[in-house]
Amino acid sequence: MKIFVLEVGRPIKQDVERDIGRVDDVLSIPRAISELEIPKIAAQAYAKIMRLASGGEEVAIVLSGPLALAFELGQALGLGHAKIIVYQFSQGKYVKVPPLTREHLFEAMKQQ
């Protein structure tokens, strides 16, 4: 598994390495960003993630930044065919989030 960190506004790489393991690549913007920057940053992160995923490698993504950035990056990754693992900061440490499955989606559609 490869680990990718996208940190906006505050550094998280050391915390990720403590909780998960060695970070293979990082995109760091040590300041607040504007909404106009989000598409470009999402595209840069996408390119880094896809490079890490080449050859079928699983990539763990840890992001600290705006929700809109996470959403746009998720849209881009949905177009690719990378094996993605997502981590969430919870109760003082980074923990793995269970993957969203087709079964989750079908069940949600049935409930509508």
Side-chain angles (χ1 to χ4, degrees):
M1 173 181 72
K2 302 282 185 173
I3 300 174
F4 172 73
V5 170
L6 175 52
E7 52 186 27
V8 177
R10 70 178 190 92
I12 63 168
K13 181 182 174 199
Q14 286 184 330
D15 294 336
V16 171
E17 289 181 329
R18 178 197 67 220
D19 295 342
I20 304 170
R22 184 181 61 83
V23 171
D24 296 286
D25 202 352
V26 62
L27 177 54
S28 182
I29 297 105
R31 59 177 172 73
I33 61 172
S34 78
E35 61 279 356
L36 298 176
E37 295 176 278
I38 289 174
K40 182 178 178 183
I41 294 167
Q44 290 171 339
Y46 173 81
K48 288 178 171 279
I49 293 164
M50 295 310 289
R51 273 194 293 279
L52 289 173
S54 65
E57 191 76 39
E58 227 175 19
V59 180
I61 300 173
V62 187
L63 179 144
S64 175
L67 179 59
L69 176 58
F71 187 84
E72 286 204 356
L73 179 57
Q75 284 182 305
L77 290 170
L79 300 174
H81 291 68
K83 297 176 185 174
I84 302 297
I85 301 168
V86 178
Y87 280 80
Q88 167 77 24
F89 192 74
S90 178
Q91 299 177 2
K93 64 181 181 176
Y94 286 95
V95 295
K96 186 176 176 179
V97 176
L100 176 64
T101 65
R102 289 180 156 289
E103 289 77 25
H104 291 123
L105 299 174
F106 293 141
E107 184 63 31
M109 292 301 291
K110 285 182 199 176
Q111 294 174 3
Q112 296 299 316

